[in-house]
C-alpha cells in the first residue's frame, strides 16, 4: 500500500551517544540557557551548521557544509559552559570513540568557543550565529513535505533545500547530496510535480540519515539505495513501484517495496478500494495465494499463509501487482510479486469511478 517511509534512525539500534564516555569533561546535561535551535557559522576555516535540543539527544548534531553526514554530539556542562562531545564509530562493530570537544559560551544569541581533539592542546575557534530556519528562502517549489521537513528536521532541510537537477535524458530528477533520483512525468500537473518532489525529498532525507549512522570508514558506501519505476501512465492514472535497500550500520541490511497509485491531475493517492471496492486486505491475500508464482509446496508456503495481509500494490498495463510488505528481513525472499489480471477483477470494479475507463476502456 502507499505509505511514507519510517525514520531510518529508529531501525538502527542505540544512538551514537549511547556510551557515557566523558572525554571532554563536565557533567551530563545542558546549561539552563540552552534552548532548541539551529546555529550556523565557522569551525576553524570550515562552515558548519549545528542543531541543539534539550529534549531529543539525537537532535544534538552538526554538519560541515557540502557533506551529507551529520556528526552526533552528547551534551555536558560545566557551570554555564556548554560542552558538546563529538562521537563516532570508525568501523562496523567498533565502539563509539570521542573525536572532538566543542566548548561553547553564550554571547547574546550567538555561541562562541573552541573545538579540539581530546588530549591535544591545539584548538580551533568556533563562532556560531543563531538561525531562523523558518525564514530561510526556499530553493525548491513549496510543498507540504518541504514545509514539514523544515519544521521537524531543520538540519536535514538545510542540506536538501537546494536546486535539484534533471538527468541528461530529462526523465529523472536528481537530488545532488544524496545522489538519489526519481522519475519525471511528461506533462505533469503542478500538483503532481509537488507530490513527486516530496517522494524524492522523503527518500533523500532517509538516505542522509542513513549516511550519518554509517561508521566513518564506510561513509563512501551506498548505505541507502532507491530504484523507482513508472509502472502505468494513462491520461488519469500514474502508478509507480519504489524499491529501497538500506544498510545503515545495524546488524543486517534490509529492504522495502512501496506501491503508489496516484491521480495524474491532482497527485492525490487513490485508495485501491476506489477502483475495486471488494479488495480488502483479506481478499488481496486470498487472491495472492491463489495466483501462479506462489508455489503451494515450497518452503515459503507456510510463511505466506501465516503472513499479515499487507501488500505493496501498483498498476501495470496488464493487471494489479501485489508484493507482500510485512515479511521480516530473514524471510523477505518469499515476498515474490504476482499479478492479478484486470479481467479477473472486472466484476468487482467500480464502474462509477472516473478511472474505470483507464483500465477497462469505454
Amino acid at each position: 500500500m502507499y505509505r511514507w517511509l519510517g525514520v531510518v534512525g529508529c531501525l538502527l539500534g542505540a544512538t551514537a551517544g549511547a556510551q557515557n564516555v566523558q572525554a571532554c569533561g563536565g557533567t551530563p546535561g545542558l546549561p539552563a540557557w540552552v534552548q532548541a535551535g539551529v546555529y550556523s557559522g565557522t569551525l576553524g576555516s570550515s562552515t558548519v551548521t549545528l542543531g541543539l535540543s534539550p529534549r531529543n539527544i539525537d537532535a544534538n548534531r552538526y554538519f560541515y557544509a557540502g557533506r551529507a553526514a551529520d556528526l552526533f554530539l552528547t551534551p555536558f556542562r560545566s557551570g554555564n559552559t556548554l560542552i558538546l562531545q563529538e562521537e563516532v564509530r570508525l568501523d562496523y562493530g567498533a565502539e563509539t570513540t570521542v573525536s572532538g570537544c566543542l566548548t561553547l559560551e553564550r554571547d547574546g544569541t550567538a555561541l562562541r568557543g573552541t573545538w579540539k581533539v581530546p588530549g591535544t592542546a591545539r584548538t580551533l575557534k568556533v563562532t556560531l550565529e543563531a538561525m531562523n530556519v523558518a525564514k530561510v528562502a526556499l530553493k525548491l517549489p513549496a510543498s507540504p513535505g518541504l514545509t514539514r521537513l523544515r519544521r521537524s528536521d531543520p538540519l536535514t532541510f538545510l542540506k536538501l533545500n537546494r536546486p535539484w537537477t534533471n538527468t541528461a535524458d530529462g526523465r529523472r530528477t536528481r537530488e545532488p547530496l544524496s545522489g538519489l533520483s526519481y522519475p519525471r512525468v511528461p506533462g505533469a500537473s503542478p500538483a503532481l510535480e509537488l507530490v513527486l518532489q516530496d517522494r524524492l525529498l522523503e527518500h533523500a532525507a532517509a538516505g542522509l540519515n542513513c549516511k550519518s549512522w554509517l561508521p566513518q570508514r564506510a561513509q563512501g558506501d551506498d548505505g541507502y539505495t532507491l530504484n523507482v519505476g513508472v509502472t502505468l501512465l494513462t491520461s488519469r492514472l500514474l502508478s509507480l513501484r519504489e524499491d529501497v535497500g538500506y544498510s545503515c550500520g545495524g546488524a543486517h541490511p534490509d529492504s522495502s517495496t512501496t506501491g503508489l497509485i496516484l491521480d495524474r491531475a491532482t497527485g492525490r493517492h487513490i485508495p485501491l478500494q476506489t477502483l475495486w471496492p471488494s479488495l480488502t486486505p483479506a481478499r488481496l491475500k486470498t487472491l495472492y495465494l491463489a495466483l501462479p508464482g506462489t508455489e503451494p509446496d515450497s518452503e515459503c508456503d507456510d510463511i505466506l499463509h501465516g503472513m499479515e495481509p499487507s501488500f505493496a500494490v501498483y498498476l501495470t498495463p496488464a493487471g494489479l501487482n501485489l508484493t507482500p510488505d510485512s515479511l521480516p528481513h530473514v524471510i523477505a525472499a518469499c515476498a515474490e510479486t504476482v499479478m492479478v489480471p484486470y479481467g479477473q477483477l472486472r466484476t468487482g470494479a467500480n464502474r462509477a469511478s472516473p478511472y474505470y475507463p483507464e483500465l477497462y476502456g469505454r
Side-chain angles (χ1 to χ4, degrees):
M1 299 293 183
Y2 174 66
R3 54 191 172 89
W4 287 101
L5 296 171
V7 179
V8 172
C10 294
L11 305 174
L12 303 177
T15 69
Q19 287 186 319
N20 188 22
V21 179
Q22 290 184 242
C24 299
T27 58
L30 292 157
W33 56 262
V34 174
Q35 297 179 336
V38 176
Y39 299 81
S40 184
T42 56
L43 189 163
S45 60
S46 300
T47 301
V48 297
T49 303
L50 179 145
L52 291 178
S53 174
R55 296 184 178 181
N56 179 7
I57 189 171
D58 288 342
N60 295 304
R61 50 196 173 97
Y62 78 105
F63 67 87
Y64 287 82
R67 296 188 188 178
D70 293 332
L71 291 165
F72 292 95
L73 302 166
T74 296
F76 296 90
R77 68 191 191 93
S78 177
N80 284 323
T81 299
L82 172 63
I83 301 170
L84 297 170
Q85 186 165 277
E86 177 186 305
E87 298 168 346
V88 302
R89 280 189 307 149
L90 296 180
D91 218 333
Y92 291 104
E95 295 292 330
T96 299
T97 62
V98 178
S99 54
C101 300
L102 277 160
T103 302
L104 300 171
E105 304 280 353
R106 181 174 61 168
D107 181 8
T109 60
L111 300 177
R112 309 196 189 282
T114 61
W115 177 97
K116 72 171 186 174
V117 175
T120 65
R122 180 172 177 262
T123 62
L124 297 177
K125 182 180 178 181
V126 178
T127 303
L128 301 169
E129 301 291 337
M131 290 186 69
N132 186 345
V133 179
K135 292 188 176 181
V136 172
L138 297 181
K139 298 179 182 179
L140 292 167
S143 66
L146 192 62
T147 301
R148 184 166 55 247
L149 186 67
R150 173 156 61 178
R151 183 176 60 251
S152 64
D153 190 351
L155 261 64
T156 300
F157 162 80
L158 291 169
K159 286 192 279 189
L160 295 176
N161 180 42
R162 61 178 65 196
W164 295 354
T165 58
N166 296 329
T167 57
D169 59 10
R171 296 180 180 179
R172 302 183 73 85
T173 298
R174 183 176 180 274
E175 192 289 306
L177 196 58
S178 68
L180 301 179
S181 67
Y182 210 86
R184 300 183 70 226
V185 176
S189 67
L192 179 58
E193 289 277 12
L194 292 181
V195 170
L196 299 182
Q197 173 182 289
D198 278 353
R199 292 305 298 171
L200 178 53
L201 184 72
E202 186 85 2
H203 285 290
L208 297 186
N209 193 8
C210 179
K211 179 78 73 175
S212 298
W213 287 92
L214 284 172
Q216 292 290 296
R217 290 171 183 159
Q219 289 287 315
D221 295 351
D222 290 328
Y224 190 97
T225 60
L226 172 67
N227 291 296
V228 188
V230 174
T231 60
L232 181 72
L233 183 63
T234 71
S235 61
R236 287 179 175 265
L237 288 170
L238 169 66
S239 193
L240 306 103
R241 170 173 170 153
E242 299 178 349
D243 288 292
V244 171
Y246 49 93
S247 178
C248 309
H252 304 287
D254 213 334
S255 62
S256 66
T257 297
T258 301
L260 293 87
I261 304 173
L262 305 175
D263 183 292
R264 190 169 171 181
T266 66
R268 292 176 182 170
H269 163 57
I270 302 170
L272 191 62
Q273 289 178 297
T274 297
L275 305 175
W276 296 281
S278 65
L279 289 187
T280 62
R283 177 59 180 156
L284 288 176
K285 182 175 177 179
T286 299
L287 286 170
Y288 181 87
L289 294 174
L291 286 166
T294 55
E295 302 176 16
D297 296 325
S298 73
E299 60 184 8
C300 291
D301 184 50
D302 288 343
I303 292 169
L304 294 174
H305 277 82
M307 70 180 174
E308 293 294 319
S310 178
F311 297 88
V313 297
Y314 56 94
L315 307 175
T316 68
L320 174 69
N321 282 38
L322 308 175
T323 305
D325 63 3
S326 63
L327 298 182
H329 168 71
V330 293
I331 53 175
C334 292
E336 295 187 17
T337 299
V338 300
M339 185 191 71
V340 188
Y342 292 132
Q344 186 175 337
L345 301 172
R346 182 185 288 270
T347 57
N350 178 10
R351 293 176 177 269
S353 165
Y355 310 110
Y356 180 88
E358 305 291 298
L359 303 176
Y360 293 103
R362 300 185 182 278

